[in-house]
């Protein structure tokens, strides 16, 4: 596995692979890798001839300076995990390499970013779209791999690919969970033992919602209220939002729509850490 630190080195490498007719997979990450990331890398290795994994804690997508400062950074441990998972090249740029000058371009994803993460983290998806566009241009992948754990991010990147005609295929990978149901996340490392013991409660709230959505008897508002109530019974959990939405448009539902997938998405603060999770229920 090669480690590439500059945009020019990544471009040169991926250009060579393109000339050799290799299919390139890209897995963008912010590092502090866990099994959820590694499953994306393994899937990419199975389906592509060369796999680029980027590790870049992207400052432009953080709206909270403490979250950026405290985000776990473990490049050596990450590199050791990536080679056996099938990564061909690790792209590990410095901030100045990705942003030699500050960006002025602004993305507007309309309704898609006016809910949930977009509404609660102003500028977040502008930063995501900026860095993802840069990574697409630098690595020119055939396939890109994203996790459904960040469901709204998947929808935003899908829109970005369509609107800017990026010639690549997006693979959305299901959420990988710990044995007790907690969605794997780099931020889980920041939970102390007490918070870690409470964290699976989030998925319990989502599972309750999932069961109710499957029945389609309770209204979307009643499903939301039932899940909120379950989560409110844990005082350490501070729920930022819990929404019952159309899985494609991400707009909140007032009624069930026939044959349309539903998503229940949440964000919560626990022990000073902000966690997100979701479940998707097919239509
Ligand atoms: P991050 O490093 O958190 O920015 O995540 C990098 C990629 O891995 C994103 O596409 C995430 O959606 C994905 N990812 C993060 N956690 C998980 C998980 N538990 N299961 C599946 N994919 C994940």
């Amino acid at each position: 596995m090669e480690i590439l630190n500059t945009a020019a080195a990544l471009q040169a490498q991926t250009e060579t692979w393109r000339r050799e007719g290799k299919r390139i997979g890209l897995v963008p990450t912010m590092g502090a890798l866990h099994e959820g990331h590694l499953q994306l890398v393994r899937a990419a290795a199975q389906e592509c001839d060369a796999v680029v994994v980027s590790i870049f804690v992207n400052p432009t997508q953080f709206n909270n300076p403490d979250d950026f400062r405290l985000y776990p950074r473990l490049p050596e441990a990450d590199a050791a995990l990536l080679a056996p998972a099938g990564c061909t090249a690790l792209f590990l740029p410095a901030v100045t390499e990705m942003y030699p000058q500050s960006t002025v371009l602004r993305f507007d994803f309309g309704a898609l970013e006016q809910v949930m993460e977009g509404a609660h983290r102003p500028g977040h998806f502008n930063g995501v779209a900026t860095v993802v566009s840069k990574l697409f241009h630098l690595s020119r992948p055939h396939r890109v791999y994203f996790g459904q754990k960040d469901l709204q991010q998947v929808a935003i990147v899908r829109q970005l690919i369509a609107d800017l005609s990026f010639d690549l295929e997006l693979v959305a990978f299901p959420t990988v969970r710990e044995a007790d149901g907690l969605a794997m996340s780099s931020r889980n490392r920041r939970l102390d033992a007490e918070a870690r013991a409470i964290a699976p409660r989030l998925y319990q709230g989502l599972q309750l919602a999932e069961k109710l959505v499957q029945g389609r008897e309770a209204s979307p508002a009643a499903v939301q209220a039932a899940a909120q109530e379950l989560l409110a019974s844990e005082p350490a959990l501070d729920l930022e939002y819990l929404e019952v939405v159309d899985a494609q448009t991400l707009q909140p539902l007032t009624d069930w729509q026939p044959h349309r997938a539903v998503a229940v998405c949440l964000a919560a603060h626990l022990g000073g850490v902000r966690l997100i999770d979701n479940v998707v229920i097919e239509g």
Side-chain angles (χ1 to χ4, degrees):
M1 183 182 76
E2 280 193 71
I3 300 185
L4 309 172
N5 296 115
T6 65
L10 178 60
Q11 270 174 319
Q13 177 62 88
T14 53
E15 251 170 57
T16 305
W17 284 335
R18 282 254 170 187
R19 249 182 279 119
E20 293 169 353
K22 289 190 168 155
R23 287 183 60 77
I24 302 168
L26 169 69
V27 186
T29 82
M30 298 203 298
L33 300 179
H34 51 67
E35 185 58 25
H37 296 115
L38 296 177
Q39 290 202 19
L40 294 181
V41 179
R42 287 190 206 107
Q46 253 177 19
E47 295 164 4
C48 305
D49 304 309
V51 178
V52 177
V53 177
S54 60
I55 295 184
F56 181 60
V57 185
N58 174 33
T60 65
Q61 72 185 70
F62 284 81
N63 57 318
N64 176 342
D66 281 342
D67 191 25
F68 177 67
R69 189 173 52 83
L70 296 171
Y71 200 89
R73 291 163 170 89
L74 308 155
E76 285 89 15
D78 287 346
L81 291 170
L82 282 173
C87 171
T88 328
L90 165 57
F91 181 50
L92 197 62
V95 172
T96 47
E97 187 67 25
M98 289 303 277
Y99 296 106
Q101 59 199 41
S102 58
T103 57
V104 291
L105 180 64
R106 291 291 170 264
F107 293 84
D108 181 350
F109 291 94
L112 213 45
E113 68 169 340
Q114 284 157 16
V115 293
M116 304 193 290
E117 292 303 283
H120 287 86
R121 301 181 69 186
H124 172 63
F125 287 121
N126 188 70
V128 169
T130 302
V131 79
V132 163
S133 300
K134 283 173 177 273
L135 290 170
F136 287 175
H137 285 303
L138 295 176
S139 59
R140 297 189 49 223
H142 297 85
R143 304 189 89 175
V144 292
Y145 294 79
F146 286 86
Q148 268 184 13
K149 194 205 149 225
D150 298 278
L151 189 72
Q152 194 171 7
Q153 174 170 273
V154 170
I156 292 277
V157 174
R158 217 182 270 294
Q159 190 75 51
L160 180 77
I161 290 168
D163 283 7
L164 294 184
S165 304
F166 280 109
D167 184 17
L168 50 81
E169 194 182 331
L170 185 152
V171 179
F173 201 84
T175 302
V176 180
R177 299 181 179 280
E178 303 286 356
D180 59 12
L182 175 64
M184 290 190 184
S185 164
S186 305
R187 290 185 176 87
N188 292 352
R189 290 174 187 272
R190 294 185 43 220
L191 298 170
D192 63 21
E194 198 182 329
R196 176 62 188 82
I198 293 166
R201 181 63 72 98
L202 293 173
Y203 186 49
Q204 290 162 17
L206 291 175
Q207 282 180 303
L208 169 68
E210 182 173 22
K211 223 171 80 197
L212 293 171
V213 173
Q214 277 161 349
R216 302 285 204 281
E217 277 165 23
S219 66
V223 172
Q224 182 189 35
Q228 281 172 336
E229 193 184 318
L230 186 142
L231 295 172
S233 67
E234 176 48 67
L237 269 181
D238 179 11
L239 193 61
E240 192 168 289
Y241 66 78
L242 184 147
E243 300 282 358
V244 181
V245 301
D246 181 282
Q248 227 121 63
T249 66
L250 302 184
Q251 301 309 299
L253 290 173
T254 47
D255 279 311
W256 305 121
Q257 304 296 321
H259 314 301
R260 288 197 65 92
V262 173
V264 183
C265 307
L266 61 74
H269 295 264
L270 172 63
V273 183
R274 185 177 184 277
L275 300 174
I276 62 170
D277 198 357
N278 68 80
V279 289
V280 176
I281 304 109
E282 293 308 321

